[in-house]
Amino acid sequence: MSVKKKPLVVVTRKLPDSIETRMRELFDARLNLDDVPMSADQLAEAARTADVLVPTVTDTITSAMLNQPDCTLRLIAHFGNGIDNLDVAAAHARGITVTNTPKVLTEDTADMTMALILAVPRRLIEGAALLTDGGEWPGWSPTWMLGRRLGGKRLGIIGMGRIGQAVARRARAFGLQIHYHNRKPVAPRIADELGATYWDSLDQMLARMDIISVNCPHTPATFHLLSARRLKLIRKDAFIVNTARGEVIDEETLTRLIETGDIAGAGLDVYEHEPVVNPKLVRLAKAGKVVLLPHMGSATIEGRVEMGEKVIINIRTFLDNHKPPDRVLPAML
Ligand SMILES: O=CC(=O)O
C-alpha cells in the first residue's frame, strides 16, 4: 500500500515554536531554524520545488521565480499582512493561489502607531535616553523638556482600513480630532463612531493636520503618495508617523524637511530602503527630532502565533480543495 506523500511546505524564516511543531506534524515542512534570510537563488529554488511557499515580508518573490518552467508551486501562504513584496499578478497568471494574514495584527500595529503618536510630540525617547545614556538631568524645571499636547489636535489618517480605524479609536480616547483620507469614505456608522471627518483631497488634509499617520498599504498607486510636493504642504509644527511601509513617503525629502525645520518631527517604524536606515535620520533621532523603530509594529508573541495559525489554516483549507479564508484576490491589488 502506498503512503500518501505529505506536501512540501518551505518556510523562509524561523516561526514561533508552536507553529513549527504543528507544521512538522501536518506537512513535509522545510523550516529555517537558523533564521538566516534566504538568498534570491534559494527562494527561486524553493518556488520551483515546493508545493507551498511560506515567505514573509522581507522576501521578494518575483515573476521570474514563479515563471520557471518546472515550477511546482501551488500556494504562496504569506506570513504577513502587506503583500507588496510578492508579485501576486504573476502568481495568479500562473494559477498559484496567494493568501496573507490580515486582521490578527491590526490591534498590535495600531498600538504601536499610537505609541509613536505619543512618543514624538511628548519627547518620550529623548527624555528616557537622557537618564540612561549618561546625560545631565538638572532637575525639574517649568520650562524644560516641553513637548506638545495631544488633546484637541487634528490627526490626519491616510488609509482608513482596519488599522487606520483602530488607530482612530485609540486616538479619539486621547482627545485627538479624527480626520482621514481614503479612496472612499468609510460607512456612516463607522464615521459616526469615530467622529471622523473625510477629506477627498489629500493635499487639503495635509495642509491642516497637526499629526499625520500613514496607514495605507504600499501599492503602485501609493508609492511616494507623500511626494516632495505633498510633504511641502505639511505644516511646520506637524509630526508624521509611519507604521505602514517606507515606500509611501519620499523619505529623502521628509528627512530634509525635518532637518530644515519645515516639518517638526516624525515617528517611523518602516523605511524606504529597509533594513537600511538613512544615517541622516539616525542623526535626527539623536537630536530628538524623530523616533525610529526597527519595523516592529506587529511584533507581539500573540500576534506572531496568530499569524502562524492563519498560515496553517490557509494551507490546510487549500490542500483540502477548499477556498482558503485569506485569499488575496485580484480586486485587492
Ligand atoms: O509589516 C508587517 C506585515 O505586513 O505583516
Side-chain angles (χ1 to χ4, degrees), residues 84 113 116 120 156-159 202 206 211-234 238-258 263 265-274 276 278 281 284 290-292:
D84 53 335
T113 310
L116 286 172
V120 182
I157 298 176
I158 301 175
L202 176 59
L206 290 174
I211 303 171
I212 291 148
S213 176
V214 177
N215 295 108
C216 61
H218 167 221
T219 67
T222 64
F223 175 78
H224 280 197
L225 186 66
L226 292 190
S227 58
R229 180 189 69 75
R230 286 209 171 105
L231 287 167
K232 287 178 193 151
L233 300 172
I234 292 171
F239 299 91
I240 298 186
V241 166
N242 187 4
T243 54
R245 283 293 184 270
E247 291 91 337
V248 179
I249 305 183
D250 174 347
E251 190 179 278
E252 192 57 44
T253 305
L254 172 67
T255 306
R256 192 157 28 81
L257 292 174
I258 299 173
I263 289 180
L268 305 176
D269 185 42
V270 287
Y271 305 89
E272 197 171 342
H273 306 290
E274 217 171 294
V276 177
N278 185 337
L281 278 176
L284 285 170
V290 304
V291 173
L292 304 178

Side-chain angles (χ1 to χ4, degrees), residues 121-180:
R122 292 304 307 273
R123 305 175 67 177
L124 192 74
I125 307 301
E126 208 186 336
L130 192 104
L131 296 187
T132 51
D133 294 353
E136 276 293 302
W137 182 29
W140 190 90
S141 141
T143 54
W144 193 65
M145 280 301 284
L146 306 186
R148 302 303 304 270
R149 173 186 289 163
L150 281 191
K153 296 287 186 331
R154 284 176 293 240
L155 171 68
I157 298 176
I158 301 175
M160 199 60 142
R162 276 186 292 266
I163 296 175
Q165 290 175 31
V167 170
R169 235 167 254 125
R170 284 157 177 74
R172 198 159 144 80
F174 280 87
L176 284 155
Q177 297 171 27
I178 310 301
H179 298 256
Y180 72 101

